[in-house]
Amino acid sequence: MAYAMEKKLSKHPEKFGTGIIEGVAAPEGANNAAAEGALVPLLTLGIPGSGAAAVLLGALLIHGLRPGPMLFSARPDFVWGLIASMYIGNVMLVILNMPLIGIWVRIIKIPYKVLLPLIITISAVGVFSTDNNVFDMWIMLIFGALGYVMRKLDYPPAPMVLALVLGPMVELSLRQSLTISQGSLSIFFTRPISGVFTVCALISLCAPLFPILWHRVKRGSGQ
């Protein structure tokens, strides 16, 4: 979206796709903003805004920290420490990346047949050193192979990560709601807030079908 907007507003849109600096800076700046912006709904509402935020949510729950409005009053040291770390991290990135940009460019030019074994080795050492457990390495390899297959089949990893992290929380909330309503699903539609979110979820779930139905209707009316 940032690339398209920058191209639309540029005085030289014909140069986009040739390595023009505006075409590189716009999506990279938007990517950095989105990464930190995803933490806003995570910390305030407990809803991850991206796959990385979902992983962070799982890590917080493991350490007994439940993101939400009460986190700011219960653990202000953690919240403001996390926010401060973002500012410090951005400053450190600028200091490190500016003089080392030549090294990063050379790393990109390393062939995959050389880079891939290094990545696997470093990942395996990191996983094994956590608990000194070989089983963790097998889990890493299995999920690595699963991620490779998903990449080849163009399946986005974010929904899977969100399902693994949010699945238990959704099941718990579903059981609580059905217990309150004595097993009636109407509780998800009769309450204003839950009703709006349920309808939005159903619309987003059925959204891919709308273009197909629209084309069929147009084709039928044309005949």
Side-chain angles (χ1 to χ4, degrees):
M1 292 176 62
Y3 181 86
M5 181 62 68
E6 183 66 28
K7 184 177 181 180
K8 183 177 180 180
L9 298 177
S10 176
K11 297 180 179 178
H12 307 285
E14 69 280 358
K15 294 184 179 180
F16 278 71
T18 62
I20 186 173
I21 188 62
E22 289 86 349
V24 178
E28 286 299 321
N31 181 50
N32 292 337
E36 297 181 355
L39 296 179
V40 175
L42 172 64
L43 295 177
T44 57
L45 301 174
I47 302 174
S50 64
V55 175
L56 181 58
L57 173 61
L60 295 177
L61 294 176
I62 291 175
H63 290 281
L65 297 171
R66 190 173 184 85
M70 298 303 296
L71 184 63
F72 284 79
S73 58
R75 292 296 304 273
D77 54 337
F78 167 77
V79 174
W80 295 112
L82 178 63
I83 295 174
S85 69
M86 298 179 190
Y87 289 100
I88 297 173
N90 282 327
V91 174
M92 292 180 62
L93 283 175
V94 172
I95 296 174
L96 290 174
N97 286 340
M98 292 299 289
L100 299 178
I101 189 170
I103 298 178
W104 310 139
V105 172
R106 290 187 178 91
I107 291 177
I108 295 176
K109 295 181 179 180
I110 298 177
Y112 279 114
K113 62 182 180 181
V114 177
L115 194 59
L116 187 59
L118 291 176
I119 294 174
I120 295 176
T121 302
I122 295 173
S123 300
V125 171
V127 170
F128 182 77
S129 62
T130 303
D131 293 321
N132 295 329
N133 192 347
V134 180
F135 178 75
D136 294 342
M137 297 179 62
W138 283 108
I139 295 295
M140 180 203 72
L141 292 175
I142 291 172
F143 276 94
L146 179 62
Y148 176 79
V149 173
M150 292 176 63
R151 183 76 175 268
K152 286 297 184 180
L153 297 178
D154 291 329
Y155 281 103
M160 180 179 178
V161 175
L162 291 172
L164 290 174
V165 175
L166 298 181
M169 299 172 59
V170 172
E171 292 178 358
L172 177 61
S173 300
L174 178 63
R175 288 197 299 268
Q176 291 175 343
S177 301
L178 293 177
T179 301
I180 294 173
S181 65
Q182 298 180 352
S184 176
L185 295 176
S186 62
I187 189 173
F188 300 110
F189 298 94
T190 55
R191 299 295 189 275
I193 296 178
S194 63
V196 170
F197 280 110
T198 302
V199 171
C200 291
L202 292 175
I203 292 175
S204 63
L205 184 64
C206 300
L209 299 176
F210 294 156
I212 299 175
L213 295 175
W214 175 252
H215 286 302
R216 288 186 178 180
V217 171
K218 289 182 64 177
R219 190 180 305 169
S221 61
Q223 292 177 352

